[in-house]
Amino acid sequence: MDLSKLNGPQLQAVTCTEGPLLVLAGAGSGKTRVLTHRIAYLISEKDVMPWNILALTFTNKAAGEMRERVERLVGPSGSGDMWVLTFHSFCVRVLRREIDRLGYDPKFVIYDDTDQQTLIKHVIKDLNLNDKVFTPRQLASQFSAAKNHMPHDPAAFLRESGAIRQVSDAFSVYEKYLKKNNALDFDDLLLKTVELFRTEPEVLDSYRLRFRYILVDEYQDTNLAQYEIVRLLAGEHRNLCVVGDDDQSIYGWRGADIRNILEFEKDFPGARVIRLEQNYRSTGNILEAANLVISNNRGRKPKTLWTERKGGDPVDLFIAQDDRDEAQHICRIILGDVRRGRSYSDFAVLYRTHAQSRVLEMYLKSYDIPYRVYGGVSFFQRAEVKDIIAYLRLLENPHDDVSFRRVINTPKRGLGDGALSLLESRAAEMNSSLLAAALKLQHENSRYAARLGQFCGVLTGALGMLGGSSLAELTEWLLNEIRYEDYLRDDKKENYETRLEIVNELVSYMAEFEESLPSGEVTDPLQAFLENVALFTSTDELDSAAGQITMMTLHSAKGLEFPVVFLCGLEQGLFPSEKSRFDPERMEEERRLCYVGITRAMDSLHLSYARERMNFGRIEPAVPSVFLEELEPVLPVQQTGSRKNSGQTHGFGSAFQPRAGFSLFPDAPASSGDKHALKKTVPAGQKPVRPVPVELKAPAFTFAAGQRVSHAKYGPGTILSLSGSGGGQILEIDFDGGQIKKFSASMAPITPLED
């Protein structure tokens, strides 16, 4: 096997095959090359059977790329029966075979976020909870946190974490409904696998015996359940190789635990550690910026990226007057580079929050620049696709009440809330599913009997076609029987032709999917298709952005690379986020997010911040991000808005504690008469914001940091900080309701509270 193209540390990581190994792979250091060559080396040089290898990663795209690369190295026959899967796909494969030991039917369905929230709405209704206080999204987040942080007993975690009784009760009912529906949510796929391995030793032993060599990609993103799965599988033979970068751990908010990678040597004594620090993606100037930022984190394993691509374009900084000025600058840079030969697909605009995309989109459209906002509605989350999938899921799992509720009156067939209420009552009496209740009621003397008979007849006819027809043929028959095209034509909510194209695309995808299944290996194509849809992630859609610039949040950009990257909105409270201000762990994760954004750039990196930004309908002054202070050694003096910086330093050290004479507008007179800073335009359709008067009166009260105050709208709160003086004084207030906002001391309805 040719290993000559590997550098020294990569070669060590590939050939060190026995025992625990931690590969610290910096951004752009060739970790996929190491993983695939290591698998190929095990097969071709160490005579390991492919079915003794398990490789786990986080996205279908990464798993597919890994499989293809291994096949190119050892050939299709040499890599057969090797499991290269996402964590969730691995768990589904195990559970389909073994979940009956836990009291579930192997034909369980997988609920995505939308299905989960639909079920929680039913829980809220059942418990008569205030749906303004207990929202499905909020409860889903709390349930997921409980399952991520306490895989042994999530209900106990909720109680111990101080969750109020209603949340704990809602969780118990939610779990009961999942079991009744023979359904698992995404967290359950992991937790049920952990439960299976812990309670069924012979099952664990069988998988330990099979998978003698385990590889894990993006180990810094694993949560407690994923960590436990890996620990249990590798606990005996210890031939475990994990590859990751603690500097790119950015998913703490969804359960990822950076301690898994930081404490690997503690968890697996005798582990070897190899660092991959040579970067093959970015120029020297970009890497210098990345190293400057991340070196400020304390909770990390030291490493320094380097490259043979010395120099390169200097890191660019633009100081915009406002978010519109920032968007216009980005458009002008893109158009100029395109005229010089770059493709639109070379560019990515990265931001901290989705809300920032609105102004950017407005300007991209005005300049006729093709773009795609990544992270919008997924194909499989479209309403018409969810409708069809719900019918198919009900055929596969008759216990799925969530799917039943979606299709019972779609298209409308006179089976609305009244019929559903009757079915729910009968299902409760029978202790059965809603479909079982419908099958019973269709033969009884009921006003809904005929309509239920028609509905059940469609499902019965579809069931009769299973096994004898292709998925595409079955779906076309079903769509014709329910007259779904007529339903789309009569529904005025959205363009009929567009929605029909989506439906046709789904049917075409079904045909392609079934043709791609290995002959003789899959006995239930419908189950395989539904599983594929459930495990589909938004990252699998990215390739369709060819010929367009890519717009996405920094979290979505991880694992990607672009020749030119714009990292915008580098302002305190926006990036890093306000929530991280008094939380050192969150601040370190925000810094890792900045590092990820910087290292997406291959050739050019453009940074920008605005002196003021529209926020909740108000124009608010902005302070440059602390990250810009950390980057100052690599930032040249740049053009600001439409004026030069006149040789002044950036003054980013003022971000937290302003020096005497510090101004949010470094190149402008430090007075309230800066008309350029005060005059604003408002996009069409938005209510105009009243401009701040030039002559501002001094505040009626004297304020100080830590003082308790009250706002007429937001209620009581505590002043976090003050900036400016006299009529231009700005107060930053942490309100008791959980919001942090900034106000003009002279204009806002704020009064001191008595101690």
Side-chain angles (χ1 to χ4, degrees):
M1 181 179 175
D2 183 11
L3 302 176
S4 61
K5 293 183 179 179
L6 301 177
N7 64 33
Q10 288 175 339
L11 182 62
Q12 292 177 44
V14 166
T15 57
C16 177
T17 58
E18 307 304 308
L21 172 66
L22 168 62
V23 180
L24 291 171
S29 62
K31 70 177 180 65
T32 305
R33 176 187 290 184
V34 165
L35 282 166
T36 53
H37 277 73
R38 182 181 173 86
I39 295 171
Y41 184 80
L42 286 169
I43 295 171
S44 62
E45 302 297 324
K46 305 295 285 187
D47 296 325
V48 176
M49 294 295 102
W51 53 83
N52 291 140
I53 298 173
L54 170 65
L56 297 170
T57 186
F58 279 84
T59 68
N60 297 318
K61 185 177 180 181
E65 182 182 355
M66 206 181 301
R67 275 192 298 267
E68 290 172 7
R69 287 206 199 180
V70 173
E71 284 186 7
R72 287 200 296 268
L73 289 169
V74 300
S77 58
S79 60
D81 294 327
M82 177 182 63
W83 283 24
V84 182
L85 302 165
T86 66
F87 270 98
H88 288 93
S89 295
F90 167 77
C91 292
V92 170
R93 192 172 290 192
V94 171
L95 293 173
R96 290 287 183 209
R97 300 177 178 188
E98 315 286 355
I99 200 170
D100 58 321
R101 298 169 182 263
L102 301 180
Y104 285 79
D105 189 302
K107 287 184 177 292
F108 62 85
V109 295
I110 304 167
Y111 283 171
D112 62 17
D113 292 344
T114 304
D115 304 318
Q116 183 184 29
Q117 290 181 42
T118 299
L119 184 58
I120 292 174
K121 285 179 184 177
H122 189 60
V123 172
I124 291 170
K125 179 182 175 184
D126 265 14
L127 295 179
N128 198 28
L129 299 178
N130 185 334
D131 58 6
K132 299 293 189 293
V133 177
F134 301 98
T135 67
R137 184 176 297 277
Q138 173 216 4
L139 288 176
S141 177
Q142 290 181 274
F143 296 170
S144 182
K147 291 183 177 185
N148 277 319
H149 289 91
M150 198 63 153
H152 299 281
D153 189 352
F157 173 85
L158 281 173
R159 292 192 297 271
E160 293 166 9
S161 65
I164 60 178
R165 181 182 54 79
Q166 290 94 326
V167 174
S168 182
D169 290 347
F171 179 78
S172 298
V173 175
Y174 170 72
E175 289 290 287
K176 183 186 76 174
Y177 278 141
L178 282 175
K179 185 70 181 288
K180 178 176 177 288
N181 291 2
N182 195 39
L184 302 179
D185 62 27
F186 265 69
D187 295 315
D188 284 332
L189 296 177
L190 303 173
L191 296 190
K192 295 302 178 186
T193 304
V194 171
E195 181 183 349
L196 181 70
F197 285 166
R198 283 179 176 161
T199 59
E200 303 290 338
E202 69 278 12
V203 173
L204 176 60
D205 287 343
S206 69
Y207 285 98
R208 278 179 170 176
L209 184 63
R210 171 167 183 168
F211 298 121
R212 308 298 298 174
Y213 292 86
I214 299 174
L215 302 90
V216 183
D217 188 17
E218 305 285 10
Y219 191 65
Q220 77 281 349
D221 293 337
T222 53
N223 61 22
L224 285 177
Q226 290 158 335
Y227 160 80
E228 188 67 1
I229 289 169
V230 171
R231 188 190 68 81
L232 288 168
L233 287 173
E236 189 173 278
H237 54 69
R238 288 172 33 97
N239 291 328
L240 171 65
C241 170
V242 302
V243 180
D245 182 6
D246 52 302
D247 290 335
Q248 296 186 72
S249 179
I250 59 174
Y251 297 120
W253 49 276
R254 70 181 189 195
D257 193 335
I258 193 173
R259 292 175 299 179
N260 293 347
I261 192 168
L262 293 179
E263 299 178 3
F264 183 79
E265 297 107 304
K266 178 181 174 182
D267 295 330
F268 296 91
R272 185 172 178 181
V273 180
I274 297 173
R275 287 172 167 79
L276 305 183
E277 297 174 294
Q278 182 176 358
N279 178 284
Y280 293 91
R281 175 189 299 156
S282 308
T283 64
N285 285 337
I286 292 170
L287 294 186
E288 184 181 0
N291 289 328
L292 273 172
V293 167
I294 203 62
S295 64
N296 289 279
N297 270 5
R298 295 183 179 181
R300 64 184 293 260
K301 291 180 177 290
K303 53 188 165 301
T304 303
L305 295 181
W306 63 276
T307 181
E308 293 180 348
R309 296 184 64 195
K310 305 299 181 186
D313 294 344
V315 176
D316 175 49
L317 172 68
F318 182 73
I319 305 173
Q321 291 297 124
D322 55 26
D323 42 359
R324 290 162 184 76
D325 191 21
E326 180 183 56
Q328 185 169 357
H329 172 75
I330 290 171
C331 291
R332 287 173 174 170
I333 293 288
I334 292 172
L335 291 174
D337 282 2
V338 168
R339 281 195 295 269
R340 287 185 286 272
R342 282 207 179 274
S343 166
Y344 284 118
S345 57
D346 288 345
F347 301 90
V349 181
L350 310 181
Y351 35 78
R352 181 63 181 82
T353 68
H354 280 296
Q356 292 170 255
S357 70
R358 183 187 62 82
V359 174
L360 290 163
E361 285 190 75
M362 182 173 67
Y363 275 84
L364 288 167
K365 287 178 181 177
S366 69
Y367 279 95
D368 200 24
I369 296 174
Y371 69 91
R372 182 191 178 203
V373 179
Y374 178 58
V377 178
S378 162
F379 176 83
F380 290 110
Q381 292 299 318
R382 296 274 310 191
E384 51 275 12
V385 173
K386 294 283 287 181
D387 289 344
I388 299 166
I389 295 299
Y391 272 102
L392 297 177
R393 286 202 324 197
L394 198 55
L395 296 178
E396 181 70 11
N397 175 21
H399 302 285
D400 184 4
D401 286 353
V402 168
S403 292
F404 182 93
R405 285 190 176 90
R406 184 176 188 103
V407 303
I408 182 63
N409 206 36
T410 304
K412 293 188 184 305
R413 50 175 65 93
L415 295 172
D417 292 342
L420 190 56
S421 179
L422 179 61
L423 287 167
E424 287 171 345
S425 298
R426 181 54 61 90
E429 293 171 9
M430 298 168 56
N431 191 26
S432 70
S433 68
L434 292 174
L435 179 56
L439 290 168
K440 181 81 172 174
L441 275 171
Q442 68 173 324
H443 299 300
E444 296 182 4
N445 185 17
S446 162
R447 59 182 290 201
Y448 302 113
R451 297 169 212 165
L452 285 171
Q454 184 184 26
F455 172 69
C456 293
V458 170
L459 294 179
T460 302
L463 279 170
M465 295 183 67
L466 280 177
S469 304
S470 69
L471 292 179
E473 290 170 341
L474 166 66
T475 303
E476 287 177 336
W477 180 88
L478 182 63
L479 291 170
N480 184 60
E481 286 295 306
I482 64 176
R483 302 179 65 182
Y484 196 74
E485 184 174 345
D486 292 342
Y487 162 70
L488 294 181
R489 185 182 290 107
D490 295 340
D491 187 2
K492 305 301 182 184
K493 293 179 183 176
E494 197 174 343
N495 181 275
Y496 153 71
E497 288 81 5
T498 299
R499 299 182 72 186
L500 185 60
E501 287 173 5
I502 294 290
V503 172
N504 291 334
E505 177 63 25
L506 177 63
V507 175
S508 299
Y509 176 68
M510 286 179 178
E512 293 173 9
F513 176 83
E514 194 163 13
E515 287 176 7
S516 69
L517 292 174
S519 58
E521 291 188 19
V522 179
T523 57
D524 189 342
L526 176 57
Q527 183 184 89
F529 174 76
L530 293 174
E531 190 175 294
N532 179 73
V533 170
L535 297 175
F536 183 89
T537 64
S538 58
T539 53
D540 300 319
E541 293 187 303
L542 186 63
D543 291 339
S544 62
Q548 302 169 302
I549 75 162
T550 299
M551 296 175 59
M552 60 172 61
T553 64
L554 285 152
H555 282 100
S556 298
K558 184 170 170 290
L560 305 176
E561 59 183 37
F562 303 90
V564 183
V565 167
F566 295 90
L567 185 48
C568 56
L570 279 156
E571 296 142 32
Q572 209 61 27
L574 181 57
F575 189 35
S577 70
E578 193 63 51
K579 291 181 179 179
S580 67
R581 182 167 184 176
F582 302 109
D583 187 333
E585 288 188 7
R586 279 188 172 180
M587 177 57 78
E588 293 220 340
E589 182 159 314
E590 290 286 303
R591 188 173 283 109
R592 293 194 292 269
L593 192 57
C594 184
Y595 172 84
V596 166
I598 291 171
T599 54
R600 298 313 93 196
M602 301 165 67
D603 303 324
S604 298
L605 175 66
H606 300 270
L607 310 176
S608 60
Y609 79 89
R611 292 170 167 175
E612 53 188 22
R613 189 174 293 272
M614 182 75 73
N615 187 27
F616 294 104
R618 298 173 59 92
I619 298 171
E620 296 185 348
V623 177
S625 169
V626 65
F627 301 145
L628 291 176
E629 177 186 353
E630 296 166 359
L631 285 166
E632 194 160 9
V634 298
L635 298 179
V637 174
Q638 290 292 319
Q639 186 174 336
T640 66
S642 57
R643 300 185 295 269
K644 291 284 185 179
N645 207 347
S646 305
Q648 296 184 32
T649 60
H650 297 293
F652 298 132
S654 328
F656 288 116
Q657 304 199 359
R659 294 191 286 262
F662 172 75
S663 169
L664 292 173
F665 309 95
D667 63 331
S671 72
S672 58
D674 184 358
K675 295 180 181 178
H676 188 84
L678 298 172
K679 185 178 179 181
K680 291 291 127 197
T681 58
V682 179
Q686 182 174 313
K687 292 182 179 179
V689 178
R690 189 174 181 178
V692 181
V694 173
E695 296 296 328
L696 296 176
K697 297 180 180 179
F701 304 98
T702 301
F703 298 106
Q707 182 180 358
R708 294 285 291 170
V709 295
S710 179
H711 186 281
K713 178 179 178 182
Y714 297 103
T718 303
I719 296 177
L720 293 177
S721 64
L722 303 87
S723 59
S725 60
Q729 187 177 52
I730 300 295
L731 306 180
E732 183 179 31
I733 303 173
D734 184 359
F735 290 101
D736 294 355
Q739 296 171 300
I740 296 177
K741 292 185 174 294
K742 296 177 182 177
F743 298 94
S744 165
S746 64
M747 298 185 65
I750 299 171
T751 55
L753 287 175
E754 297 293 334
D755 293 333

